[in-house]
Amino acid sequence: MTSIRPFKRALDLLTRSGLRPTRQRVGLARLLFDSGDRHVTAEQLHAEAMADDLKVSLATIYNTLHQLTDAGLLREVVVDAGRSYFDTNSTLHHHFFHEASGWLADVPGSQIVVEALPQPPAGTRVTRVDVIIRLADAPGEAGTAEGEGGVVGR
Amino acid sequence: MTSIRPFKRALDLLTRSGLRPTRQRVGLARLLFDSGDRHVTAEQLHAEAMADDLKVSLATIYNTLHQLTDAGLLREVVVDAGRSYFDTNSTLHHHFFHEASGWLADVPGSQIVVEALPQPPAGTRVTRVDVIIRLADAPGEAGTAEGEGGVVGR
DNA sequence: ATTAATGCAAAATCTTTGCACTTTC
DNA sequence: GAAAGTGCAAAGATTTTGCATTAAT
Protein backbone atom coordinates (compact mmCIF):
# COMPACT_ATOMS: atom_id res chain seq x y z
CA MET A 1 0.00 0.00 0.00
CA THR A 2 2.23 2.78 1.20
CA SER A 3 4.23 3.09 -1.94
CA ILE A 4 7.55 4.77 -2.45
CA ARG A 5 6.11 7.82 -4.05
CA PRO A 6 2.79 8.55 -2.46
CA PHE A 7 2.46 11.91 -4.09
CA LYS A 8 2.90 10.50 -7.53
CA ARG A 9 0.52 7.67 -6.81
CA ALA A 10 -2.26 9.99 -5.75
CA LEU A 11 -1.62 12.09 -8.81
CA ASP A 12 -1.76 9.10 -11.09
CA LEU A 13 -5.01 7.84 -9.63
CA LEU A 14 -6.56 11.19 -10.40
CA THR A 15 -5.29 11.69 -13.91
CA ARG A 16 -6.12 8.13 -14.82
CA SER A 17 -9.68 8.89 -13.75
CA GLY A 18 -9.82 12.02 -15.80
CA LEU A 19 -9.83 14.31 -12.78
CA ARG A 20 -7.63 17.36 -12.82
CA PRO A 21 -4.98 16.99 -10.15
CA THR A 22 -5.69 20.12 -8.21
CA ARG A 23 -3.99 20.85 -4.93
CA GLN A 24 -7.09 19.85 -2.99
CA ARG A 25 -7.75 16.64 -4.87
CA VAL A 26 -4.15 15.49 -4.69
CA GLY A 27 -4.06 16.22 -0.99
CA LEU A 28 -7.29 14.34 -0.34
CA ALA A 29 -6.20 11.43 -2.50
CA ARG A 30 -3.02 11.15 -0.47
CA LEU A 31 -4.93 11.15 2.79
CA LEU A 32 -7.27 8.53 1.44
CA PHE A 33 -5.00 6.16 -0.40
CA ASP A 34 -1.60 6.38 1.22
CA SER A 35 -2.33 4.44 4.35
CA GLY A 36 -4.01 1.21 3.48
CA ASP A 37 -7.71 0.57 3.60
CA ARG A 38 -9.79 3.10 5.44
CA HIS A 39 -13.32 4.19 6.06
CA VAL A 40 -13.97 7.87 6.35
CA THR A 41 -16.88 10.22 6.61
CA ALA A 42 -16.79 13.58 4.89
CA GLU A 43 -16.51 15.28 8.25
CA GLN A 44 -13.58 13.12 9.27
CA LEU A 45 -11.71 13.69 6.06
CA HIS A 46 -12.29 17.38 6.39
CA ALA A 47 -10.80 17.35 9.88
CA GLU A 48 -7.80 15.41 8.63
CA ALA A 49 -7.26 17.83 5.80
CA MET A 50 -7.28 20.74 8.20
CA ALA A 51 -4.83 18.98 10.49
CA ASP A 52 -2.65 18.43 7.46
CA ASP A 53 -2.71 22.12 6.57
CA LEU A 54 -4.67 21.36 3.46
CA LYS A 55 -7.27 24.01 2.93
CA VAL A 56 -10.44 22.47 1.57
CA SER A 57 -14.06 23.28 2.09
CA LEU A 58 -16.57 20.67 3.12
CA ALA A 59 -18.37 21.17 -0.17
CA THR A 60 -15.22 20.22 -2.03
CA ILE A 61 -14.77 17.22 0.21
CA TYR A 62 -18.20 16.01 -0.77
CA ASN A 63 -17.61 16.75 -4.42
CA THR A 64 -14.32 14.90 -4.39
CA LEU A 65 -15.64 11.90 -2.50
CA HIS A 66 -18.42 11.51 -5.01
CA GLN A 67 -16.14 11.99 -7.97
CA LEU A 68 -13.78 9.34 -6.63
CA THR A 69 -16.72 7.05 -6.00
CA ASP A 70 -17.97 7.53 -9.54
CA ALA A 71 -14.48 6.78 -10.76
CA GLY A 72 -14.51 3.51 -8.90
CA LEU A 73 -11.76 4.45 -6.49
CA LEU A 74 -14.04 4.63 -3.49
CA ARG A 75 -17.09 2.76 -2.41
CA GLU A 76 -19.88 4.29 -0.41
CA VAL A 77 -20.93 2.16 2.51
CA VAL A 78 -24.38 2.67 3.94
CA VAL A 79 -24.72 1.19 7.39
CA ASP A 80 -26.08 4.01 9.43
CA ALA A 81 -28.99 6.23 8.55
CA GLY A 82 -27.75 9.74 8.15
CA ARG A 83 -24.07 9.05 7.90
CA SER A 84 -22.12 8.06 4.82
CA TYR A 85 -18.85 6.20 4.99
CA PHE A 86 -16.48 6.04 2.07
CA ASP A 87 -14.29 2.99 1.83
CA THR A 88 -10.96 3.06 0.05
CA ASN A 89 -11.15 -0.66 -0.47
CA SER A 90 -13.08 -1.04 -3.67
CA THR A 91 -12.50 -4.75 -4.02
CA LEU A 92 -15.13 -7.35 -3.18
CA HIS A 93 -15.58 -7.43 0.54
CA HIS A 94 -18.09 -6.95 3.33
CA HIS A 95 -18.31 -5.20 6.67
CA PHE A 96 -18.45 -5.46 10.39
CA PHE A 97 -20.33 -2.59 11.94
CA HIS A 98 -20.48 -1.82 15.64
CA GLU A 99 -23.65 0.19 15.98
CA ALA A 100 -22.93 1.81 19.30
CA SER A 101 -19.54 3.21 18.38
CA GLY A 102 -19.81 3.59 14.64
CA TRP A 103 -16.78 1.34 14.21
CA LEU A 104 -16.60 -0.12 10.72
CA ALA A 105 -14.18 -2.75 9.44
CA ASP A 106 -13.67 -4.76 6.32
CA VAL A 107 -14.25 -8.45 6.04
CA PRO A 108 -12.49 -9.93 3.02
CA GLY A 109 -14.91 -11.13 0.39
CA SER A 110 -13.37 -14.55 0.58
CA GLN A 111 -14.39 -14.91 4.20
CA ILE A 112 -18.07 -14.87 3.52
CA VAL A 113 -19.92 -17.05 1.12
CA VAL A 114 -23.35 -16.02 -0.01
CA GLU A 115 -25.15 -18.85 -1.66
CA ALA A 116 -28.43 -19.46 -3.34
CA LEU A 117 -28.86 -15.86 -4.31
CA PRO A 118 -32.35 -15.36 -5.72
CA GLN A 119 -32.81 -14.06 -9.23
CA PRO A 120 -33.23 -10.33 -9.54
CA PRO A 121 -36.60 -9.08 -10.80
CA ALA A 122 -37.03 -8.96 -14.55
CA GLY A 123 -35.36 -5.98 -16.15
CA THR A 124 -32.82 -5.55 -13.41
CA ARG A 125 -29.33 -6.78 -12.71
CA VAL A 126 -27.43 -7.12 -9.48
CA THR A 127 -24.86 -4.40 -9.05
CA ARG A 128 -23.55 -5.52 -5.71
CA VAL A 129 -24.33 -7.68 -2.74
CA ASP A 130 -23.57 -6.05 0.57
CA VAL A 131 -23.25 -8.09 3.71
CA ILE A 132 -23.24 -6.14 6.94
CA ILE A 133 -22.50 -7.94 10.16
CA ARG A 134 -23.95 -5.79 12.90
CA LEU A 135 -22.29 -5.96 16.27
CA ALA A 136 -23.11 -5.01 19.83
CA ASP A 137 -21.08 -5.36 22.98
CA ALA A 138 -21.09 -8.88 24.29
CA PRO A 139 -22.90 -9.20 27.62
CA GLY A 140 -20.70 -11.27 29.90
CA GLU A 141 -17.01 -11.75 29.35
CA ALA A 142 -14.98 -10.78 26.38
CA GLY A 143 -15.77 -12.42 23.12
CA THR A 144 -18.90 -14.45 22.77
CA ALA A 145 -17.21 -15.73 19.69
CA GLU A 146 -18.83 -19.14 19.47
CA GLY A 147 -16.01 -21.33 18.26
CA GLU A 148 -16.86 -21.54 14.60
CA GLY A 149 -18.35 -19.04 12.28
CA GLY A 150 -22.10 -19.09 12.27
CA VAL A 151 -24.35 -19.84 9.41
CA VAL A 152 -27.20 -17.55 8.63
CA GLY A 153 -30.02 -18.87 6.55
CA ARG A 154 -31.35 -22.37 6.36
CA MET B 1 -52.49 -12.37 7.32
CA THR B 2 -55.16 -9.74 7.47
CA SER B 3 -56.86 -11.10 10.54
CA ILE B 4 -60.54 -10.96 11.35
CA ARG B 5 -60.22 -8.23 13.89
CA PRO B 6 -57.55 -5.84 12.73
CA PHE B 7 -58.36 -3.27 15.34
CA LYS B 8 -58.00 -5.73 18.15
CA ARG B 9 -54.80 -7.09 16.70
CA ALA B 10 -53.15 -3.69 16.54
CA LEU B 11 -54.30 -3.04 20.07
CA ASP B 12 -52.90 -6.32 21.31
CA LEU B 13 -49.55 -5.76 19.68
CA LEU B 14 -49.25 -2.50 21.52
CA THR B 15 -50.35 -3.60 24.95
CA ARG B 16 -48.25 -6.71 24.75
CA SER B 17 -45.30 -4.41 24.13
CA GLY B 18 -46.16 -2.25 27.07
CA LEU B 19 -47.18 0.69 24.94
CA ARG B 20 -50.31 2.59 25.81
CA PRO B 21 -52.84 2.09 23.05
CA THR B 22 -53.46 5.69 22.21
CA ARG B 23 -55.56 6.71 19.27
CA GLN B 24 -52.45 7.58 17.26
CA ARG B 25 -50.55 4.43 18.06
CA VAL B 26 -53.48 2.14 17.35
CA GLY B 27 -54.09 3.91 14.08
CA LEU B 28 -50.48 3.65 13.03
CA ALA B 29 -50.25 0.03 14.09
CA ARG B 30 -53.25 -0.75 11.92
CA LEU B 31 -51.72 0.98 8.94
CA LEU B 32 -48.50 -0.89 9.49
CA PHE B 33 -49.60 -4.37 10.37
CA ASP B 34 -52.96 -4.92 8.75
CA SER B 35 -51.81 -5.37 5.21
CA GLY B 36 -49.00 -7.84 5.06
CA ASP B 37 -45.33 -7.01 4.93
CA ARG B 38 -44.46 -3.46 4.09
CA HIS B 39 -41.62 -1.01 4.01
CA VAL B 40 -42.38 2.56 4.93
CA THR B 41 -40.56 5.77 5.59
CA ALA B 42 -41.72 8.14 8.29
CA GLU B 43 -42.85 10.59 5.66
CA GLN B 44 -44.90 7.95 3.86
CA LEU B 45 -46.60 6.74 6.98
CA HIS B 46 -47.42 10.29 7.87
CA ALA B 47 -49.05 10.81 4.49
CA GLU B 48 -51.05 7.62 4.90
CA ALA B 49 -52.22 8.62 8.32
CA MET B 50 -53.43 11.95 6.98
CA ALA B 51 -55.22 10.23 4.13
CA ASP B 52 -56.84 7.98 6.71
CA ASP B 53 -58.04 10.95 8.74
CA LEU B 54 -55.72 10.03 11.54
CA LYS B 55 -54.23 13.15 13.01
CA VAL B 56 -50.64 12.52 13.97
CA SER B 57 -47.62 14.74 13.94
CA LEU B 58 -44.42 13.71 12.26
CA ALA B 59 -42.68 13.76 15.62
CA THR B 60 -45.13 11.19 16.91
CA ILE B 61 -44.61 9.10 13.80
CA TYR B 62 -40.90 9.01 14.51
CA ASN B 63 -41.46 8.28 18.18
CA THR B 64 -43.83 5.47 17.39
CA LEU B 65 -41.67 3.92 14.70
CA HIS B 66 -38.75 3.82 17.09
CA GLN B 67 -40.82 2.46 19.93
CA LEU B 68 -42.17 -0.30 17.71
CA THR B 69 -38.65 -1.02 16.53
CA ASP B 70 -37.40 -1.25 20.11
CA ALA B 71 -40.28 -3.58 20.87
CA GLY B 72 -39.20 -5.84 18.04
CA LEU B 73 -42.28 -5.27 15.93
CA LEU B 74 -40.46 -3.34 13.27
CA ARG B 75 -37.01 -3.50 11.81
CA GLU B 76 -35.13 -0.51 10.54
CA VAL B 77 -33.58 -1.10 7.16
CA VAL B 78 -30.68 1.08 6.15
CA VAL B 79 -30.04 0.95 2.44
CA ASP B 80 -29.93 4.56 1.47
CA ALA B 81 -27.96 7.25 3.21
CA GLY B 82 -30.33 9.80 4.57
CA ARG B 83 -33.53 7.79 4.41
CA SER B 84 -34.77 5.23 6.89
CA TYR B 85 -37.14 2.47 5.94
CA PHE B 86 -39.08 0.54 8.54
CA ASP B 87 -39.99 -3.02 7.72
CA THR B 88 -42.99 -4.73 9.24
CA ASN B 89 -41.43 -8.08 8.58
CA SER B 90 -39.28 -8.69 11.61
CA THR B 91 -38.43 -12.27 10.79
CA LEU B 92 -35.09 -13.31 9.36
CA HIS B 93 -34.88 -12.07 5.82
CA HIS B 94 -32.91 -9.89 3.47
CA HIS B 95 -33.54 -7.25 0.82
CA PHE B 96 -33.51 -6.33 -2.79
CA PHE B 97 -32.94 -2.63 -3.29
CA HIS B 98 -33.31 -0.81 -6.57
CA GLU B 99 -31.15 2.24 -6.11
CA ALA B 100 -32.61 4.40 -8.86
CA SER B 101 -36.23 4.10 -7.78
CA GLY B 102 -35.91 3.40 -4.07
CA TRP B 103 -37.84 0.16 -4.54
CA LEU B 104 -37.27 -2.21 -1.65
CA ALA B 105 -38.45 -5.81 -1.34
CA ASP B 106 -37.99 -8.69 1.03
CA VAL B 107 -36.05 -11.81 0.22
CA PRO B 108 -36.97 -14.67 2.54
CA GLY B 109 -34.13 -15.61 4.84
CA SER B 110 -34.30 -19.14 3.56
CA GLN B 111 -33.44 -17.96 0.06
CA ILE B 112 -30.01 -16.79 0.98
CA VAL B 113 -27.40 -18.70 2.83
CA VAL B 114 -24.46 -16.89 4.30
CA GLU B 115 -21.71 -19.24 5.24
CA ALA B 116 -18.31 -19.08 6.79
CA LEU B 117 -19.16 -15.99 8.76
CA PRO B 118 -16.01 -14.69 10.41
CA GLN B 119 -15.78 -14.43 14.17
CA PRO B 120 -16.81 -11.11 15.64
CA PRO B 121 -14.09 -9.12 17.38
CA ALA B 122 -13.51 -9.94 21.05
CA GLY B 123 -16.05 -8.37 23.34
CA THR B 124 -18.73 -8.16 20.72
CA ARG B 125 -21.55 -10.32 19.50
CA VAL B 126 -23.41 -10.40 16.21
CA THR B 127 -26.83 -8.84 16.46
CA ARG B 128 -27.83 -9.31 12.86
CA VAL B 129 -26.49 -10.04 9.42
CA ASP B 130 -27.97 -7.89 6.71
CA VAL B 131 -27.70 -8.86 3.09
CA ILE B 132 -28.63 -6.20 0.58
CA ILE B 133 -28.83 -7.09 -3.07
CA ARG B 134 -28.44 -3.84 -4.93
CA LEU B 135 -30.11 -3.60 -8.30
CA ALA B 136 -29.89 -1.41 -11.35
CA ASP B 137 -31.80 -1.52 -14.59
CA ALA B 138 -30.57 -4.24 -16.85
CA PRO B 139 -28.89 -2.87 -19.97
CA GLY B 140 -30.52 -4.81 -22.76
CA GLU B 141 -34.08 -5.56 -21.82
CA ALA B 142 -36.96 -3.15 -21.83
CA GLY B 143 -38.87 -3.37 -18.59
CA THR B 144 -37.71 -1.53 -15.54
CA ALA B 145 -37.78 -3.13 -12.16
CA GLU B 146 -41.06 -2.11 -10.67
CA GLY B 147 -43.27 -4.98 -11.73
CA GLU B 148 -45.91 -4.08 -9.18
CA GLY B 149 -44.70 -5.23 -5.82
CA GLY B 150 -45.04 -1.67 -4.71
CA VAL B 151 -42.65 1.13 -5.21
CA VAL B 152 -41.29 2.48 -2.00
CA GLY B 153 -39.87 5.93 -1.90
CA ARG B 154 -40.37 8.79 -4.22
C1' DA C 1 -54.79 12.28 40.21
C1' DT C 2 -50.78 10.56 38.16
C1' DT C 3 -48.14 9.45 34.60
C1' DA C 4 -47.43 8.96 29.84
C1' DA C 5 -48.07 10.61 25.19
C1' DT C 6 -48.85 14.21 21.81
C1' DG C 7 -48.09 18.33 18.97
C1' DC C 8 -45.78 22.09 17.53
C1' DA C 9 -42.10 24.53 16.25
C1' DA C 10 -37.43 25.17 16.80
C1' DA C 11 -32.87 22.99 16.52
C1' DA C 12 -29.53 19.74 14.99
C1' DT C 13 -27.39 16.87 11.35
C1' DC C 14 -25.76 15.83 7.20
C1' DT C 15 -25.55 16.95 2.37
C1' DT C 16 -26.31 19.66 -1.78
C1' DT C 17 -26.55 23.99 -4.50
C1' DG C 18 -25.70 28.60 -6.63
C1' DC C 19 -22.55 31.66 -7.99
C1' DA C 20 -18.40 34.58 -7.94
C1' DC C 21 -13.60 33.72 -7.72
C1' DT C 22 -9.40 30.91 -8.75
C1' DT C 23 -6.65 27.51 -10.87
C1' DT C 24 -5.34 24.27 -14.46
C1' DC C 25 -4.52 23.10 -19.17
C1' DG D 1 -8.23 32.68 -21.86
C1' DA D 2 -11.42 28.78 -21.79
C1' DA D 3 -12.85 25.27 -19.06
C1' DA D 4 -12.88 23.10 -14.85
C1' DG D 5 -12.60 23.41 -9.94
C1' DT D 6 -13.09 25.73 -5.42
C1' DG D 7 -15.15 28.21 -1.43
C1' DC D 8 -18.61 30.16 1.00
C1' DA D 9 -22.83 30.66 2.69
C1' DA D 10 -27.36 29.63 2.02
C1' DA D 11 -30.84 26.15 1.07
C1' DG D 12 -32.63 21.30 1.54
C1' DA D 13 -33.86 17.22 3.58
C1' DT D 14 -34.46 14.23 7.41
C1' DT D 15 -34.62 13.40 12.16
C1' DT D 16 -34.53 14.91 17.06
C1' DT D 17 -35.67 17.85 21.10
C1' DG D 18 -38.07 20.90 24.60
C1' DC D 19 -42.04 22.01 26.68
C1' DA D 20 -46.87 23.11 27.31
C1' DT D 21 -51.18 20.59 26.43
C1' DT D 22 -53.94 16.51 26.27
C1' DA D 23 -55.19 11.82 27.09
C1' DA D 24 -54.85 7.20 29.37
C1' DT D 25 -54.73 4.38 33.62
Side-chain angles (χ1 to χ4, degrees):
Chain A
M1 325 290 173
T2 311
S3 90
I4 304 92
R5 282 186 274 172
F7 191 92
K8 180 143 202 310
R9 181 162 181 282
L11 202 145
D12 282 355
L13 287 176
L14 291 172
T15 51
R16 257 183 271 143
S17 303
L19 297 172
R20 282 192 187 173
T22 63
R23 182 175 56 77
Q24 289 85 345
R25 296 216 271 225
V26 174
L28 294 177
R30 291 184 61 183
L31 288 173
L32 288 168
F33 302 110
D34 284 351
S35 34
D37 294 336
R38 1 185 6 199
H39 302 91
V40 295
T41 61
E43 205 70 55
Q44 263 168 33
L45 186 58
H46 190 224
E48 283 183 30
M50 303 298 254
D52 206 42
D53 277 321
L54 173 65
K55 298 206 167 201
V56 209
S57 69
L58 237 195
T60 297
I61 299 270
Y62 276 105
N63 284 340
T64 304
L65 286 173
H66 286 139
Q67 288 155 351
L68 293 175
T69 300
D70 290 345
L73 296 173
L74 290 179
R75 170 172 151 183
E76 192 170 356
V77 182
V78 181
V79 283
D80 197 4
R83 189 191 309 303
S84 279
Y85 288 82
F86 291 84
D87 187 344
T88 60
N89 180 352
S90 52
T91 65
L92 171 66
H93 69 285
H94 302 296
H95 294 98
F96 272 129
F97 181 60
H98 188 257
E99 319 223 47
S101 67
W103 177 80
L104 185 65
D106 286 353
V107 176
S110 61
Q111 278 185 29
I112 293 186
V113 180
V114 179
E115 280 178 18
L117 215 58
Q119 275 209 328
T124 67
R125 67 190 160 80
V126 175
T127 56
R128 196 167 81 200
V129 176
D130 287 338
V131 177
I132 299 159
I133 305 173
R134 294 179 181 276
L135 305 172
D137 292 321
E141 23 57 69
T144 305
E146 319 279 311
E148 28 56 64
V151 174
V152 171
R154 69 177 74 233
Chain B
M1 308 309 177
T2 310
S3 91
I4 304 92
R5 282 186 274 169
F7 191 91
K8 179 140 205 312
R9 181 164 180 280
L11 203 146
D12 283 354
L13 286 175
L14 292 172
T15 52
R16 257 183 270 143
S17 302
L19 296 170
R20 282 192 186 173
T22 62
R23 184 175 54 79
Q24 289 85 345
R25 296 216 272 226
V26 174
L28 295 177
R30 292 184 62 182
L31 288 174
L32 289 168
F33 302 110
D34 282 352
S35 35
D37 295 335
R38 359 185 9 199
H39 301 92
V40 296
T41 62
E43 204 70 53
Q44 265 170 31
L45 186 57
H46 189 223
E48 282 184 32
M50 304 299 254
D52 205 43
D53 277 320
L54 173 65
K55 297 205 168 201
V56 208
S57 70
L58 237 194
T60 297
I61 298 270
Y62 275 106
N63 284 341
T64 305
L65 285 173
H66 286 139
Q67 289 155 351
L68 292 175
T69 300
D70 291 344
L73 296 174
L74 289 179
R75 171 172 151 182
E76 191 170 356
V77 181
V78 181
V79 284
D80 198 3
R83 189 190 318 294
S84 280
Y85 289 83
F86 291 84
D87 188 344
T88 59
N89 179 353
S90 53
T91 65
L92 171 67
H93 69 285
H94 303 295
H95 294 97
F96 273 128
F97 181 60
H98 187 257
E99 318 223 48
S101 67
W103 178 79
L104 185 65
D106 286 354
V107 176
S110 61
Q111 279 187 27
I112 294 185
V113 181
V114 180
E115 279 178 21
L117 216 56
Q119 280 203 345
T124 66
R125 69 191 158 79
V126 175
T127 55
R128 196 168 82 199
V129 176
D130 286 337
V131 177
I132 299 159
I133 305 173
R134 294 180 181 274
L135 306 171
D137 291 321
E141 314 174 39
T144 27
E146 43 253 338
E148 62 280 313
V151 177
V152 175
R154 45 185 60 167

